[in-house]
Each structure stands twice: as structure tokens, then as C-alpha cells.
């Protein structure tokens, strides 16, 4: 047994804020709108919501169950229940996936940081899409500043992780989320009232199911996992800090609701404006950075809102990044017995280097491709569309088939203190054992054909 005293969350509100803080981030406000744009709009959203409800809720319970039961990092958790078995691949996936995700997430975090500074300059907010577009590419394709910003973003996140769970994560997560919500709401209202926004609303809500391909399905599944921080032990790790009395249903449900609300609202803020301004919806990662400044330009005190928005987006990105870093750091400290400081430094160096490659792949290294993808896209695709779905599949199989049914029940009822109807428990187990694994496998196999 480990003798290291484990840190934990101070209160119910703290857990919720930290888990929701992990879920809500660039995935909702940056990735979701551009995925909707590149994958055909409403049909993608429909699939996304379907996966969130059908698959992500049970996977989230499953991760919480594993984490709280074992009180360990993702790798150690699996080791406690199934030592020396193939299940340990879940632990391996979790560490590899966090590093992969951070290697592009931190770059986008850096872009956000840069956009805070840009928002101060009066000429930044303009109604000229092509000026904004060249402004973004001019910055993101250069070799120096984006790398500096990536390292700065990573350093901020790493410093918070050094401080530990209670003093770090919880304290910094608490205040700004509601403010962010209102800012995005404001953007959505402005966007929806622009001339020509109607086309965007149609794009968001009138599904054309003929556009759905195997790749679209996988993209929707990957986005759902990405946005909810699932499939790579993040929630296992946070679950291990959750107090035994906490109701896992409530935390899961509220996290899913908050995260999905943010994503849809971000879609409403970005997509109608994209159509109103005549921007191409399918242009990828730059979409939000080109569209939002243009909406701010249409608001009174636009600069003030822009500075505030990018600042809070940065905080949202940081609270997600720390949950990713925490997976690696918890592994290094608990399995490899590093001190927390050393673990953070090592993690910083690995992601610092890989992230530099993905930043440079936007410009000077754009010709270097592996499987036809540059570094940035490769890290993104590998993690979201391969590692997270496979990790999620293994997690549900693990809880459904490897853990003791009584232990699962004990966790779901928080040691018998939360009432759970027998039929509901049977239903959840059926989803975890059969429905979720089959559905994920179908999506994965389908995308290969
Ligand atoms: N969900 C976060 C976001 O939407 C990113 C994130 C944090 C994440 N932890 C994760 C993604 C774990 C996948 C797995 O920005």
C-alpha cells in the first residue's frame, strides 16, 4: 500500500467545479463550433447529443467508480483491481493520451493568450473577415511568438498543478465559469440577431442525414469524449479525490448538462455569425479566432468584452489543462515515485517539446506530415478519434466485466447512502456491459470501412 497521503477535494461544490472545469474548455468553445462547421452542421450535432446521452453518461459513471473505489491514479487504479493484466493498457492509454492532447491543447491555449493581448489594440476588432483571417494566420504560422505563448500557457497550468489538488485546482476553478456563461450567452444573442444569421440557424438545426459518414460518426463520438474529458482516465483520477459520500450520479449529470449547454451555446454564438459574415464554416481550427473578434466589433464596448472573454476562455482552458496534466503527474508521483515538483517539471518538458512541434506545424513545419497529417492534426486525431474511444471502450468493459458487481453497486449508491432502484441499476449495468461497448465498437469499425 502506498504511504503517500493523498490530497482530496474540500467540498461537494469543489468537486463539481473541478470536474466541470475539466470538461468545459477549448473543447466547447473552440473545437465544437469548428467540428460542427467541418462536419455538416445539424446532423453532427444530433449524433453528438445522441452519443453524449447514450454513451458518455455511463462512461463517466464508470470512470468515477474506478477512481473512487481505488483512490489511485488511472494506472494504479487498474493495477489495484487487475494487477499484471491486459487491462493495464487503460493506464497506458491514459498517460499517452494526456500527453498527446496537451501537445496541441497547449498551443491553442497559447493562441488564446495572444488574443487577450491583441484585444487591447483598438484596430483588432474589425468587420473585415479577410483582415482577421490574415491576422490569425500571420500569427499562428510564425515560428516564435506562438511557441512562447504555448510554453507560457503550459507553465501557468503546471504551476497550478504543483500547488496540489485542494489549493490549486479547486480554488482557481470556482469563480469564473458563470461569468463565462453569460459572456457566451451575450455573444450568442448578438450573433443570432445579425443580418443573415438565419442560414446559420438552419445549418445548426436542420439535419441533413445524408451527410453522415463513418468519419462523421467517429468525429462526433471523439468530440463527445473530448468535451467531457472521457476515455483517458481524467475522471478516474479526479474520481480518486472524491469523498466517499458524494453522489456520483449528481456530479456526472450536472457536469454533462453544463458541458453540453456550453457547447450548444458556443455553436449558437459562432455559427450564425459565420454565415452572416460570409466566412467558410469548414475552415477548421481558425474558425473561432476569426469569427469572434468580428462579433465583438458589432457590440458596444466590444474591446472590453473581447479582453474579458479571451481572459476567461484562458481560465477555462487552464482548468481543463490541469486535469490533463494531473493524469500524468499522478502517474509519475504514485507509480514512478517522483516528487510532485519533479513530476511536473518532467511533464512540462515532454509537452513543451511536443507542443513546439505542433505549433511549428502551422507554419515552418507544415510540410512535415505523418499519415498525411501535420503534427498538430496528428496529435488531435490520434487522441480524440482513436485513443479516447478505445480508452472509453476499455473502461466500460472493465467496469462491466472485470469489477465485482457488488463493488459497482456500492460506489453507485455511495456505500448504500444513496437510494438506487434495482431496475435502474440493472439498466445501467446493461448499458455498461453491452450497449456502450457495442455502440463504440460499431463506430470505430464503421470508420475503418
Ligand atoms: N474537456 C476539455 C475541453 O473541453 C479538455 C480535456 C480536459 C480533456 N481533460 C480531458 C479531453 C481529458 C479529453 C480527455 O476543453
Amino acid at each position: 500500500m502506498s504511504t503517500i497521503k493523498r490530497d482530496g477535494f474540500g467540498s461537494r461544490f469543489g468537486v463539481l467545479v473541478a470536474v466541470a472545469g475539466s470538461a468545459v474548455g477549448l473543447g466547447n468553445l473552440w473545437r465544437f463550433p469548428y467540428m460542427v462547421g467541418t462536419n455538416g452542421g445539424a446532423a453532427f450535432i444530433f449524433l453528438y447529443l445522441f452519443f453524449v446521452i447514450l454513451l458518455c453518461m455511463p462512461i463517466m459513471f464508470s470512470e468515477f467508480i474506478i477512481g473512487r473505489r481505488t483512490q489511485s491514479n488511472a494506472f494504479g487504479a487498474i493495477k489495484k483491481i487487475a494487477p499484471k493484466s491486459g487491462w493495464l493498457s487503460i493506464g497506458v492509454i491514459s498517460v499517452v493520451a494526456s500527453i498527446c492532447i496537451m501537445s496541441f491543447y497547449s498551443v491553442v491555449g497559447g493562441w488564446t493568450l495572444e488574443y487577450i493581448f491583441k484585444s487591447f489594440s483598438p484596430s483588432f476588432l474589425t468587420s473585415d473577415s479577410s483582415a482577421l483571417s490574415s491576422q490569425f494566420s500571420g500569427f499562428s504560422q510564425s515560428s516564435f511568438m506562438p511557441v512562447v505563448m504555448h510554453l507560457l500557457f503550459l507553465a501557468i497550468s503546471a504551476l497550478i498543478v504543483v500547488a496540489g489538488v485542494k489549493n490549486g485546482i479547486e480554488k482557481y476553478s470556482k469563480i469564473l465559469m458563470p461569468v463565462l456563461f453569460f459572456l457566451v450567452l451575450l455573444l450568442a444573442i448578438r450573433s443570432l440577431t445579425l443580418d443573415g444569421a438565419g442560414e446559420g440557424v438552419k445549418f445548426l438545426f436542420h439535419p441533413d442525414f445524408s451527410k453522415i459518414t463513418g468519419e462523421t460518426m467517429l468525429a462526433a463520438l471523439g468530440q463527445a469524449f473530448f468535451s467531457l474529458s472521457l476515455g483517458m482516465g481524467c475522471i478516474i483520477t479526479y474520481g480518486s479525490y472524491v469523498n466517499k459520500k458524494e453522489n456520483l450520479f449528481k456530479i456526472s449529470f450536472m457536469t454533462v448538462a453544463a458541458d453540453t449547454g456550453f457547447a450548444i451555446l458556443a455553436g449558437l454564438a459562432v455559427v450564425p455569425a459565420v454565415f452572416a459574415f460570409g466566412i467558410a464554416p469548414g475552415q477548421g481550427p481558425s474558425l473561432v479566432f476569426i469569427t469572434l473578434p468580428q462579433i465583438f466589433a458589432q457590440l458596444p464596448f466590444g474591446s472590453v468584452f473581447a479582453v474579458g472573454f479571451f481572459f476567461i476562455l484562458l481560465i477555462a482552458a487552464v482548468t481543463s489543462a490541469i486535469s490533463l496534466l494531473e493524469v500524468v503527474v499522478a502517474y509519475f508521483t504514485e507509480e514512478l515515485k517522483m516528487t510532485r515538483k519533479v513530476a511536473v517539471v518532467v511533464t512540462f518538458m515532454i509537452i513543451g517539446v511536443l507542443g513546439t512541434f505542433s505549433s511549428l506545424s502551422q507554419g515552418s513545419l507544415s510540410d512535415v506530415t505523418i499519415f498525411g497529417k501535420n503534427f498538430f492534426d496528428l496529435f488531435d486525431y490520434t487522441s480524440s478519434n482513436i485513443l479516447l474511444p478505445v480508452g472509453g471502450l476499455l473502461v466500460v468493459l472493465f467496469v462491466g466485466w472485470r469489477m465485482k458487481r457488488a463493488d459497482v453497486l456500492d460506489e453507485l449508491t455511495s456505500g448504500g447512502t444513496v437510494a438506487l432502484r434495482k431496475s435502474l441499476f440493472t439498466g445501467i449495468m446493461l448499458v455498461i456491459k453491452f450497449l456502450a461497448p457495442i455502440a463504440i465498437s460499431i463506430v470505430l469499425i464503421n470508420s475503418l470501412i
Side-chain angles (χ1 to χ4, degrees):
M1 272 279 139
S2 157
T3 49
I4 301 170
K5 195 166 154 285
R6 297 188 91 246
D7 212 351
F9 288 119
S11 66
R12 139 129 5 134
F13 189 62
V15 184
L16 184 64
V17 163
V19 177
S22 163
V24 176
L26 296 170
N28 310 60
L29 293 147
W30 160 74
R31 204 171 185 279
F32 182 76
Y34 98 69
M35 291 305 276
V36 170
T38 37
N39 289 290
F44 176 88
I45 298 185
F46 182 88
L47 279 175
Y48 173 83
L49 293 176
F50 180 74
F51 289 141
V52 164
I53 296 164
L54 181 78
L55 300 178
C56 292
M57 284 291 281
I59 296 176
M60 189 169 279
F61 295 155
S62 304
E63 290 206 18
F64 268 128
I65 288 170
I66 299 175
R68 189 167 69 175
R69 190 81 204 158
T70 55
Q71 302 280 303
S72 293
N73 68 83
F75 192 89
I78 305 296
K79 204 169 73 178
K80 271 191 189 165
I81 298 175
K84 296 208 181 74
S85 68
W87 294 110
L88 284 174
S89 52
I90 298 177
V92 176
I93 287 183
S94 75
V95 176
V96 176
S98 350
I99 292 174
C100 262
I101 294 174
M102 272 308 285
S103 300
F104 71 92
Y105 204 86
S106 177
V107 173
V108 184
W111 295 347
T112 311
L113 202 53
E114 168 72 15
Y115 268 63
I116 300 174
F117 300 123
K118 277 201 195 305
S119 304
F120 280 103
S121 104
S123 61
F124 171 62
L125 299 183
T126 147
S127 303
D128 180 353
S129 311
S130 62
L132 284 164
S133 173
S134 43
Q135 168 141 231
F136 178 78
S137 42
F139 165 69
S140 62
Q141 290 171 7
S142 60
S143 298
F144 185 68
M145 275 322 269
V147 175
V148 173
M149 290 298 173
H150 140 63
L151 294 174
L152 191 57
F153 176 85
L154 187 58
I156 297 170
S157 312
L159 281 176
I160 297 175
V161 173
V162 177
V165 177
K166 210 183 290 173
N167 297 329
I169 297 173
E170 197 171 323
K171 189 164 104 198
Y172 292 91
S173 301
K174 257 178 200 171
I175 316 147
L176 292 164
M177 300 257 290
V179 184
L180 183 61
F181 189 84
F182 281 108
L183 279 176
V184 187
L185 186 64
L186 178 74
L187 281 169
I189 293 171
R190 187 65 196 102
S191 176
L192 286 165
T193 49
L194 290 166
D195 275 343
E199 274 306 301
V201 175
K202 215 162 136 206
F203 184 77
L204 284 173
F205 297 113
H206 279 268
D208 174 359
F209 289 107
S210 67
K211 289 218 182 90
I212 294 181
T213 61
E215 256 318 286
T216 322
M217 276 170 80
L218 184 62
L221 183 70
Q223 175 61 26
F225 279 55
F226 187 92
S227 191
L228 286 165
S229 306
L230 293 175
M232 44 74 67
C234 207
I235 306 296
I236 297 183
T237 307
Y238 270 18
S240 74
Y241 303 123
V242 173
N243 178 311
K244 282 285 174 205
K245 287 192 239 82
E246 227 54 78
N247 182 343
L248 299 182
F249 277 107
K250 246 190 213 154
I251 306 175
S252 304
F253 181 77
M254 288 169 91
T255 305
V256 171
D259 188 76
T260 310
F262 259 106
I264 299 293
L265 202 58
L268 284 172
V270 175
V271 176
V274 161
F275 281 82
F277 299 145
I279 301 171
Q283 62 183 285
S286 60
L287 188 69
V288 169
F289 289 94
I290 296 170
T291 313
L292 292 179
Q294 217 170 331
I295 311 178
F296 285 121
Q298 311 277 334
L299 281 171
F301 308 107
S303 302
V304 180
F305 282 120
V307 172
F309 173 82
F310 284 113
F311 176 72
I312 301 174
L313 180 58
L314 176 76
I315 309 281
V318 168
T319 56
S320 301
I322 53 187
S323 74
L324 286 157
L325 293 175
E326 183 64 26
V327 172
V328 188
V329 169
Y331 169 75
F332 282 161
T333 50
E334 289 170 20
E335 301 304 312
L336 307 184
K337 306 291 174 225
M338 293 181 190
T339 65
R340 202 166 172 88
K341 271 210 187 92
V342 172
V344 171
V345 171
V346 173
T347 311
F348 177 88
M349 291 200 301
I350 300 173
I351 297 168
V353 171
L354 294 177
T356 299
F357 279 105
S358 81
S359 178
L360 295 178
S361 74
Q362 300 298 299
S364 50
L365 293 185
S366 62
D367 292 338
V368 185
T369 57
I370 302 170
F371 302 119
K373 297 192 184 322
N374 66 26
F375 287 110
F376 186 102
D377 296 339
L378 188 71
F379 287 131
D380 187 353
Y381 190 91
T382 314
S383 49
S384 313
N385 290 11
I386 301 171
L387 294 174
L388 299 183
V390 172
L393 173 64
L394 292 174
V395 162
V396 273
L397 288 175
F398 185 78
V399 172
W401 297 94
R402 182 64 180 79
M403 281 182 78
K404 291 199 195 84
R405 202 177 162 94
D407 289 352
V408 176
L409 180 64
D410 188 58
E411 284 303 326
L412 276 178
T413 58
S414 302
T417 59
V418 175
L420 177 64
R421 253 182 293 133
K422 198 154 183 274
S423 57
L424 185 58
F425 179 61
T426 312
I428 292 174
M429 285 312 281
L430 283 178
V431 174
I432 291 179
K433 277 182 120 135
F434 300 102
L435 193 74
I438 293 172
I440 300 173
S441 308
I442 291 177
V443 176
L444 278 171
I445 293 168
N446 194 30
S447 73
L448 293 177
I449 306 171

